[in-house]
Amino acid sequence: MVDHYDTPQYRRPGVVRRVVALVASGGIGVLTGVLAAIVTSFAIAIAVIWLTNLLQQ
């Protein structure tokens, strides 16, 4: 036999909670972009240094 329990009815989060979620997701997006830009710039710098050393040989 299976027991069925009523679940609480869904309530939308409040305005403040939605704004905080929006700001937090925007911050995470900016942080991810900054980290990707740093990694990319280091990779490009290393490639340029390596290619310059190849030209000087």
Side-chain angles (χ1 to χ4, degrees), residues 26-39:
I28 290 171
V30 168
L31 181 63
T32 302
V34 166
L35 292 177
I38 290 171
V39 169

Side-chain angles (χ1 to χ4, degrees), residues 10-31:
Y10 174 74
R11 289 184 359 195
R12 289 175 52 176
V15 175
V16 173
R17 192 166 190 180
R18 285 188 276 174
V19 169
V20 168
L22 180 66
V23 169
S25 63
I28 290 171
V30 168
L31 181 63

Side-chain angles (χ1 to χ4, degrees):
M1 178 155 223
V2 177
D3 291 331
H4 294 279
Y5 296 105
D6 291 333
T7 59
Q9 195 169 14
Y10 174 74
R11 289 184 359 195
R12 289 175 52 176
V15 175
V16 173
R17 192 166 190 180
R18 285 188 276 174
V19 169
V20 168
L22 180 66
V23 169
S25 63
I28 290 171
V30 168
L31 181 63
T32 302
V34 166
L35 292 177
I38 290 171
V39 169
T40 303
S41 65
F42 274 116
I44 291 172
I46 289 171
V48 167
I49 291 169
W50 180 68
L51 290 172
T52 302
N53 286 338
L54 283 179
L55 287 174
Q56 290 177 351
Q57 290 179 356

